[in-house]
Each structure stands twice: as C-alpha cells, then as structure tokens.
Amino acid sequence: MKVFLTGATGYIGSTVAEALQTAGHQVIGLARSEQAAQSLQAVGIEVVRGDLHEPLKWIGALDQVDGVIHTAATKDEKMPNCDRVVVEEMLSALSGTKKAFIYTSGTWILGNIDSDVNEQTPLNPIPLMAWRLEIERQVLAAKERQIRSVVLRPGMVYGRGGGLVAQLVVSGRTNGVVQFVGTGDNHWALVHVEDLARCYVKAIERSPAGMVFNVIDECSLSLREIAQLASQAAGVSGRIQGQSLTAARQQIGLLADGLILDQQMSNTHVRQVLDWQPIAPSLLEEIELGSYGYCQTT
C-alpha cells in the first residue's frame, strides 16, 4: 500500500513509518519544515511539504495514496479546531474511495474507569480531551461515505526513551525526586510505541470500516509503581513524591487530570479483530534495558 502519514517525524509517527516500511508499504510523510523533510528522505520516505494549519495546500496528495494514518497534532491552543478542520478535509478527499483512514485518539476520552471496560463503554473524557468526542463520531460515521475509517485509542505510550515516562525521568534528574500527581494508587493503561505502531499497520491493512480499538497491553501499573521505575532510570532510586491535583494543575494545567485517571481495560477486541498482541518489552524491561538513559521528551 501507499500510505500518507501525518506526524511522520514525531514520537509515534516515526515508529509507525518504520513499521509500515518493514511491512513492505510505501510511506508518504507530511513535513512542515525543510529539516523534517530531510530527515524523512534520509530513511526513504517520500515527502509532501505542508502544515496542519493549511490542509488545502497538501490535501490533493491523498488522491495518489491507498490509505491515510493521522498521528500529527499541533500541540497548541488551536489544536482542537485545527484537528477538526484537518479531519474534515481528509475525509472529504477520501469520500467514496473505500480507502482507509486511521485516526489517533486516546484512552483519556474514556475518563476515570472503576472496572474493566471495552470499546462500547460510554465516553466520559477529561476536559483536555473533550473536543475529540465529535471528531471520533465523525470518523466512525465516515464508513457511510465509503471510507474504511478506524479510530485507535492508545493508552500511555512508552518505549524508546519517550512518552510521559520520559518526563518523569527528566524531572527526577533535574530535581532529585520524581513527582507524580495524587496518591499514586491509580493505574495507567500502557502500550509500547512499537506495539502501537504494529497496530496501526494491522489496522490499515485489515480493519473493517467503523471500528474503534483501545490499544493497550493490559499490564497496567499504578502511577506510584511507574514513578518508582522512573526514579531508577533517573538515578534517584526510590525518591518519589506525590503532589496535590491543585498544585499539579497550577504547573501543567489540565494535563494533570489525565495523570490521575485510573484506567484498567481489556484489549480483547483489538486482539480478536486485528490479530494483534503486545510483544515489545514491558516498562520494567525498558528501564532495565536502559532505553530511558536518554529520554525523548518531544
């Protein structure tokens, strides 16, 4: 397949690009800057220059591909509206083609979870993620427009020295203690970035239209346990400290609400439909292997 990929130089997107190439697919990556274009070309990815804020300048490239994977995010105050417009334009371009469109959401759209849940659980997003509700609905409804549309909801992504775990490690090195939000008794739903990338490949290759998948490894750890692991990687083993939600909100805003979510859920649906299963190292193994000796925080 010839796959158009947004966010191809990002933490998740670059790993997805690698997995697509390994599976024998041709990747066309959206690049905002010359530096990004050069890095993509260096690994054999065809480049389309463009910016998420101006989709009409590159949307024509979708005529030449077999499917689209959208992992990019502007990570600014315009992100909700920008993502809505970009998705609308991409779906319009794909309408009637039966081509695949894979959208990246996240498990935070489910909110706090008291027991095992699945893809049919009613959504209760934290405020930071509320805007994704309508976009998910729009993507899933696109199957009626003859688009093989799919929503992936990754858990907390780790591996290769990246993700929010990296931020915990960096904070430990900088401050001599790993701070976490709340009591630390809540559980994070986790997924290794390489397992997630393989799921994108399976989704674009075989997923039926209108599907949504919670992509997690079912090896959830409490936030306190994760902080302990981060402290080991930071060289301050055991030095961890909880802080109140109020204090955390003052420092990092609404992101704090996601960090205290308690999420334990099943990945049965994605295993059964896509024949996917997590095989990458666990977070404990990643720490022991030393991948967080150098952290990728962007």
Side-chain angles (χ1 to χ4, degrees), residues 201-276:
V201 175
K202 286 183 174 289
I204 202 164
E205 287 178 341
R206 67 177 70 181
S207 177
M211 289 281 120
V212 57
F213 300 103
N214 298 330
V215 189
I216 48 101
D217 63 15
E218 286 194 328
C219 294
S220 62
L221 294 171
S222 72
L223 179 51
R224 178 176 291 274
E225 291 171 321
I226 293 170
Q228 289 280 6
L229 292 174
S231 73
Q232 294 176 30
V236 293
S237 186
R239 298 192 63 184
I240 64 174
Q241 182 181 70
Q243 63 176 156
S244 70
L245 178 58
T246 299
R249 282 173 174 162
Q250 291 175 348
Q251 292 180 6
I252 59 176
L254 294 178
L255 175 64
D257 294 67
L259 302 180
I260 64 167
L261 288 177
D262 191 24
Q263 295 196 318
Q264 299 181 74
M265 64 193 75
S266 170
N267 62 17
T268 300
H269 182 57
V270 67
R271 284 175 178 267
Q272 293 178 341
V273 177
L274 297 185
D275 190 28
W276 171 90

